[in-house]
Amino acid sequence: MDFTLGYLREALSNYERSSVCERIVGKLGEQSFTSEVEFVRILDEDEIQFLNNILPDEIKYAFDEQDFIRGNQLNEVYEQLI
């Protein structure tokens, strides 16, 4: 799995109660993606919207905690969504 998507999977663990989140995690586990671009291409509109809603907060939290690698990796996924 792409290193960036590992950070995404970790961030999604905070939202496991959501059925949309479960679908996204399922997609991460079903296939081996070589990049975040490849992953984003298979998402449906609900999944994209879900990530658009949570990633800004997750990125901000990572930077607030001075985890710049994680923040940058999550930002890479976010940039592919928009």
Side-chain angles (χ1 to χ4, degrees):
M1 176 186 299
D2 178 73
F3 184 69
T4 303
L5 296 177
Y7 281 104
L8 176 61
R9 179 181 287 226
E10 182 182 333
L12 289 171
S13 68
N14 297 320
Y15 304 90
E16 290 178 337
R17 298 176 109 177
S18 164
S19 62
V20 176
C21 179
E22 288 180 18
R23 290 195 326 250
I24 296 169
V25 171
K27 287 180 179 182
L28 282 169
E30 290 172 358
Q31 299 179 31
S32 179
F33 299 98
T34 57
S35 71
E36 60 276 4
V37 174
E38 186 180 333
F39 173 69
V40 168
R41 287 184 181 153
I42 67 155
L43 297 176
D44 65 33
E45 287 300 315
D46 287 340
E47 295 162 345
I48 290 170
Q49 185 61 42
F50 179 83
L51 291 175
N52 276 329
N53 287 335
I54 69 157
L55 282 177
D57 291 336
E58 291 294 323
I59 293 165
K60 181 181 182 318
Y61 178 78
F63 285 128
D64 287 348
E65 294 296 313
Q66 297 184 358
D67 189 347
F68 302 112
I69 294 172
R70 177 184 169 126
N72 287 326
Q73 296 296 311
L74 292 174
N75 193 54
E76 286 185 32
V77 175
Y78 185 62
E79 286 177 351
Q80 297 303 315
L81 296 170
I82 50 177

